Amino acid sequence: PTYSSRNSAKKATLCIKTRNSISTTSNDQLKKIRHFVAFLGQQYESGSVVPKNYKLALAWYRQAVRNGYVAAYEDSARVLDKGGYHLE
């Protein structure tokens, strides 16, 4: 199968938006979603799979933090250290 960051991002966003209404979602599944959201941020930061975009990387890291993935705090700080909102 081919990798599609757009489809993966949509799926991750849908899972995050609906996580509170899905009572059957296990903690393990939520943990995987949090990791995946942070992974999307890493891909946008590095530019290895998708075009490099620090603003999107920061957005995905923030989403991961909001959803309880504490390690994304460091990732967010690294991107902000590079220039924050003034990034291209």
Side-chain angles (χ1 to χ4, degrees):
T2 58
Y3 176 81
S4 171
S5 63
R6 181 171 292 166
N7 286 339
S8 298
K10 286 180 183 178
K11 287 179 185 175
T13 303
L14 178 63
C15 289
I16 290 166
K17 286 181 180 178
T18 60
R19 81 184 191 290
N20 292 329
S21 62
I22 300 175
S23 60
T24 59
T25 303
S26 70
N27 285 338
D28 190 45
Q29 289 171 323
L30 289 175
K31 186 177 179 180
K32 288 178 183 178
I33 291 169
R34 290 180 191 124
H35 282 271
F36 182 73
V37 171
F39 172 77
L40 287 173
Q42 292 167 353
Q43 296 310 306
Y44 278 108
E45 183 180 1
S46 69
S48 60
V49 176
V50 293
K52 189 179 285 192
N53 186 324
Y54 291 121
K55 288 182 181 181
L56 283 176
L58 185 58
W60 282 112
Y61 289 146
R62 285 182 171 169
Q63 188 66 35
V65 168
R66 283 187 203 107
N67 286 283
Y69 188 62
V70 179
Y73 276 110
E74 288 183 18
D75 299 326
S76 297
R78 184 178 55 247
V79 172
L80 288 170
D81 193 43
K82 293 178 182 178
Y85 292 108
H86 304 291
L87 298 170
E88 294 297 324

